[in-house]
Amino acid sequence: MSTADMDAWSDLDAFLEALPEKLEKSPYDHGVYTQWVALMQAIGNVESLRDAQERMCSQVAVPEETLLGWIADEEARLEANCDEATLASIVRLFEAGVQDRRSPSMWQRYADAVLRMADSDDAAMQAAAAAVFGAEDYSQGVLLRAVEATKANYQHGQAIWVLYKDRIARDIDQASEPQRGALVELLHTALLDRLCQPHAGLDDTWSLYSEYTTRYHNADYEQQMVAANEIVANTRRLCAQREALEDRLVAAGYGWGAFSEYIDRLVQQKGASVEEVAALYEQALLHNGYSPEAWSEYTAYLEGVAGNTSAVLAVSERAIRSCPWSGKLWAQAIHFSYMVHGRESAGEVFRRAQTTHAIDYSMLEYGHAAVAWLTAVRLDSTSSPEAAEMLPATCEECIDTAYSLEIGTADPYLFLERCCTSVVVELEGGPEVARKIWTRVCKARKVCTEAWVLSAEFERAHGTAASARSVYRHAAQRKLDNPERLFDTWLAFECAAGELAELYAAERVVSAQRRVAQRRLEREACHVGASDTQPEGPPEEAEQAEAEQAEAEQTEGPAAKRRRADSPAEATRRSDGSLVVFAKGFPLGYGASDIEAFFGGGANVGQATVLAAKQGAACGQAKVVLRTTDALVAALDKNGSKIDGQFVSVHTFKKQRPARAATAEISVEPATPASEAGDVGKTNADFRQLYLGTK
């Protein structure tokens, strides 16, 4: 950090003083750690710098290039002054790198560094390395770990394996005769294992095996090569399949979608091992390490194929460090912690998710983790009285925390709410507690159809038909995000209940609410002001008034409909053109009375005018003024009807600017001009959309 950068820190002491509080509140904040490390580098405090780096590595996944930069700085210090603390810091950074990202390049750098230490002539270096690793023969152990971690990597595993093979060959040359035979056998095993493994350097490995056989088994060379050739033939077939998939991966830019397809193909191949698939997942995470989906699929795969649940837990912990904002990954960590260590360990993970504020930005993400924790407590409650006792309080705490967060981030499927109510309903007095939960949810999420439907289903299962019916009636008055789902569920409930009067009542309410929704859309599309009959007030009161009016219209007689059609409000709407349609396709002999009858007679039609061409001849077109909105919708529904085998098209009408008249009677144009052939086959819904002004 330059002097200018240092000046940006207005108060260095204040930053360092506030740092512990920041990290305690947000231990997964990558930016805070980066600032801390940069500050320690700027002031040159090596001990504090190492503390900052170690703290960062313990909490978040540090990018590989950042780690390699830190390691390069430590190696420069090591060259200037070889001491055990610097060497320990290098090893610690390498271990952090290979733990978070199973990167072949990181393992390559680690192996090279270890071999330089082992081959160094500096006695101080040898002593420090032996002290750090805890053994004098440390290089072989690190190389073996590197080979095991990278051997299944198709493109980049060969280089590290060659280092391992060369080390064994060197040890053979330096070994005494009693030890030499064991090392030769070790090299033979390593070569055969490599020939069985599909990798990009198979031809090179085959040449190395030939050289080995010539040198150490020349007497039975042919027999050895024939046996190995059978192995290589099968491996070549697998390599041909992998090469095609590798080419697709490169062409796709190493995106997660390409890796997912690659993995699916590899899993379908019966010869692919778990190690090969896991290596491909690790390679995918090198390029997509901040993708929760990639981590989630990796842990799910390991859970299905691996018998070692502890290994799956380790991967889920790595996932949290890389993507701490993902509630689904926290849920997996809670689940595997419970499977491996029990409820208390799962609780620690859940509390870590809460106290670190990693997922409290979203009800959905928090809900994933909370459901996993509730599931662990619920499973444990069958055998633990303590867990059974804490279950109600845990449900209440989870609901309280979830509904203290931003309601706009809620889970559309209400998994947490379902889990809590299904848990408490089994307890003593549970139905009443669960009812309170659903009441709270519906009040908080007023427009969420799923919340109202689930509340009604709960009342149907644990209450009475009347209480379920009450929930449906209240929900129907709301401006829901998916009202048709509520209507369908309500009507299905009434059909199953078998009460005809209640079914008819529900149908009337549903019909009225559908009219309200239709009118709302018409107003928004046509930019027509509020109806004169709608009282002024809040939107909910206005919608309630519309619903009552629509329900009244449902039962009024013909005379009342005629009076309403002749009201000043409807006359105003007819005069501004919002209740006018343009129709064409009628037989040439049709008159005004025929057209009026086609659209429902005088109860629906205020005026029907037959249009004529410039020469005065009939052209089968008409302008029709409707009396009400309902009549307008019914008229639009007649679009596509047939008269004497000829299609009739109906569109909304708007006045034309003064220009050349299209007809002798009046200048009109369709709102959405289209040929008759184009109109044929369109559905009523399509023409409702045309009326609403959408294209």
Side-chain angles (χ1 to χ4, degrees):
M1 185 181 293
S2 63
T3 305
D5 294 329
M6 289 295 295
D7 292 339
W9 300 95
S10 58
D11 191 344
L12 176 60
D13 293 336
F15 171 78
L16 294 176
E17 184 178 350
L19 183 62
E21 182 180 353
K22 288 182 178 179
L23 295 180
E24 182 178 358
K25 183 178 179 180
S26 301
Y28 297 103
D29 191 336
H30 195 280
V32 173
Y33 290 110
T34 302
Q35 293 174 351
W36 186 13
V37 170
L39 181 60
M40 294 301 102
Q41 287 176 331
I43 64 179
N45 189 330
V46 177
E47 291 300 324
S48 298
L49 172 62
R50 289 171 179 168
D51 290 341
Q53 291 171 343
E54 185 175 2
R55 181 74 178 272
M56 184 174 181
C57 289
S58 66
Q59 293 294 335
V60 299
V62 182
E64 182 176 336
E65 57 272 16
T66 301
L67 277 173
L68 292 177
W70 295 351
I71 291 170
D73 293 340
E74 291 286 12
E75 288 177 337
R77 296 188 190 99
L78 188 65
E79 290 182 3
N81 180 25
C82 180
D83 65 295
E84 186 176 329
T86 303
L87 191 59
S89 178
I90 293 174
V91 173
R92 185 175 63 250
L93 293 175
F94 271 124
E95 289 290 342
V98 298
Q99 176 66 25
D100 278 336
R101 299 281 191 268
R102 306 295 169 85
S103 165
S105 59
M106 179 63 77
W107 274 111
Q108 180 80 47
R109 285 288 304 274
Y110 192 11
D112 290 340
V114 167
L115 291 179
R116 284 197 303 272
M117 297 175 197
D119 296 339
S120 174
D121 295 331
D122 188 347
M125 174 71 77
Q126 293 284 0
V132 169
F133 285 103
E136 293 185 359
D137 188 17
Y138 53 85
S139 60
Q140 194 71 8
V142 173
L143 278 175
L144 188 57
R145 288 174 56 205
V147 169
E148 288 296 322
T150 62
K151 67 180 182 180
N153 189 295
Y154 185 81
Q155 291 288 355
H156 307 291
Q158 181 75 351
I160 295 176
W161 179 85
V162 169
L163 282 180
Y164 176 64
K165 185 270 301 179
D166 290 344
R167 200 69 179 180
I168 298 176
R170 193 205 68 166
D171 291 344
I172 290 174
D173 294 338
Q174 296 177 355
S176 60
E177 191 60 33
Q179 297 175 333
R180 195 165 180 269
L183 290 172
V184 168
E185 186 60 30
L186 178 62
L187 180 58
H188 183 235
T189 302
L191 285 164
L192 285 179
D193 288 344
R194 193 61 183 165
L195 290 176
C196 294
Q197 178 69 52
H199 60 282
L202 180 61
D203 290 339
D204 294 336
T205 307
W206 180 237
S207 298
L208 291 172
Y209 184 79
S210 178
E211 294 175 6
Y212 160 83
T213 306
T214 301
R215 181 173 181 181
Y216 297 108
H217 298 281
N218 194 41
D220 55 347
Y221 176 86
E222 183 175 354
Q223 181 180 355
Q224 292 276 357
M225 294 300 291
V226 168
N229 189 55
E230 295 179 1
I231 298 174
V232 173
N234 181 62
T235 307
R236 286 189 192 281
R237 179 181 57 81
L238 297 175
C239 285
Q241 298 173 350
R242 295 289 293 272
E243 285 291 345
L245 295 172
E246 289 284 340
D247 291 342
R248 293 182 189 176
L249 196 61
V250 174
Y254 297 98
W256 167 241
F259 272 109
S260 182
E261 180 182 357
Y262 191 166
I263 291 168
D264 290 341
R265 295 286 185 87
L266 200 62
V267 170
Q268 292 171 5
Q269 296 176 7
K270 302 302 182 181
S273 64
V274 174
E275 289 77 12
E276 289 175 325
V277 178
L280 193 54
Y281 270 114
E282 293 289 352
Q283 185 182 353
L285 292 171
L286 293 178
H287 299 276
N288 305 273
Y290 298 109
S291 169
E293 181 184 1
W295 284 104
S296 180
E297 290 195 17
Y298 186 20
T299 52
Y301 169 75
L302 291 179
E303 182 184 16
V305 299
N308 187 356
T309 313
S310 299
V312 186
L313 175 60
V315 173
S316 66
E317 287 287 348
R318 289 171 54 203
I320 289 175
R321 290 155 49 79
S322 296
C323 306
W325 61 85
S326 172
K328 184 175 290 187
L329 297 183
W330 279 102
Q332 289 180 332
I334 292 168
H335 167 69
F336 292 121
S337 294
Y338 174 75
M339 297 296 292
V340 176
H341 302 297
R343 173 173 53 85
E344 292 186 2
S345 178
E348 287 296 327
V349 177
F350 180 63
R351 280 187 287 274
R352 181 151 49 102
Q354 287 184 300
T355 57
T356 57
H357 307 282
I359 53 176
D360 62 2
Y361 70 95
S362 167
M363 286 180 68
L364 173 61
E365 301 300 335
Y366 174 82
H368 286 309
V371 167
W373 168 232
L374 282 171
T375 302
V377 177
R378 188 177 189 177
L379 291 173
D380 214 39
S381 65
T382 58
S383 57
S384 170
E386 181 184 358
E389 185 178 350
M390 66 182 289
L391 198 53
T394 303
C395 289
E396 183 179 358
E397 178 188 356
C398 290
I399 287 290
D400 288 343
T401 303
Y403 279 83
S404 68
L405 305 179
E406 177 59 43
I407 198 69
T409 62
D411 174 16
Y413 301 105
L414 296 98
F415 287 128
L416 176 59
E417 293 84 350
R418 294 185 190 192
C419 181
C420 286
T421 52
S422 65
V423 167
V424 300
V425 78
E426 299 174 356
L427 307 175
E428 184 177 355
E432 188 59 34
V433 176
R435 182 174 290 108
K436 291 180 180 179
I437 292 177
W438 282 122
T439 302
R440 176 179 181 177
V441 171
C442 291
K443 286 182 178 180
R445 304 178 64 176
K446 299 177 181 179
V447 301
C448 179
T449 303
E450 196 66 23
W452 289 98
V453 169
L454 290 173
S455 178
E457 289 179 352
F458 171 81
E459 292 296 339
R460 182 179 181 181
H462 301 281
T464 62
S467 61
R469 197 170 286 122
S470 175
V471 173
Y472 280 122
R473 286 201 184 101
H474 279 85
Q477 309 303 320
R478 303 284 183 178
K479 187 178 178 180
L480 300 177
D481 53 7
N482 186 9
E484 288 301 323
R485 167 158 167 70
L486 180 84
F487 298 157
D488 293 342
T489 307
W490 187 8
L491 295 177
F493 163 73
E494 296 295 358
C495 288
E499 298 182 21
L500 197 58
E502 294 293 348
L503 175 60
Y504 288 160
E507 287 177 340
R508 286 196 297 271
V509 175
V510 168
S511 178
Q513 291 302 321
R514 283 173 173 159
R515 289 171 181 268
V516 171
Q518 179 69 25
R519 289 181 176 179
R520 187 187 305 120
L521 291 174
E522 291 168 2
R523 285 201 310 271
E524 293 173 356
C526 301
H527 305 288
V528 178
S531 173
D532 293 345
T533 59
Q534 177 180 327
E536 295 183 359
E540 291 185 2
E541 294 181 8
E543 290 173 9
Q544 179 65 23
E546 282 190 346
E548 294 174 356
Q549 179 185 352
E551 190 168 359
E553 292 173 5
Q554 184 79 5
T555 57
E556 65 185 8
K561 288 184 179 181
R562 173 75 67 172
R563 288 194 298 273
R564 178 166 54 83
D566 294 335
S567 66
E570 295 295 346
T572 300
R573 296 189 67 187
R574 290 195 297 272
S575 65
D576 66 15
S578 61
L579 292 177
V580 180
V581 296
F582 174 81
K584 61 182 178 180
F586 294 110
L588 298 182
Y590 258 46
S593 59
D594 298 315
I595 294 172
E596 181 177 317
F598 176 77
F599 285 106
N604 292 339
V605 179
Q607 181 182 5
T609 305
V610 177
L611 304 180
K614 290 183 179 180
Q615 295 78 9
C619 60
Q621 302 180 9
K623 168 194 170 185
V624 182
V625 181
L626 286 310
R627 292 184 177 274
T628 64
T629 302
D630 295 338
L632 175 63
V633 174
L636 292 172
D637 282 341
K638 291 184 175 295
N639 183 73
S641 301
K642 278 187 177 183
I643 299 179
D644 296 338
Q646 186 173 348
F647 285 98
V648 176
S649 64
V650 182
H651 299 286
T652 52
F653 172 90
K654 65 179 180 181
K655 291 184 178 180
Q656 194 179 39
R657 295 179 181 178
R660 293 192 300 268
T663 63
E665 180 68 30
I666 188 170
S667 300
V668 299
E669 64 176 3
T672 306
S675 65
E676 292 184 16
D679 293 336
V680 176
K682 289 184 177 292
T683 64
N684 294 335
D686 293 331
F687 287 98
R688 279 202 180 96
Q689 289 183 346
L690 290 173
Y691 170 70
L692 296 177
T694 57
K695 295 184 178 180

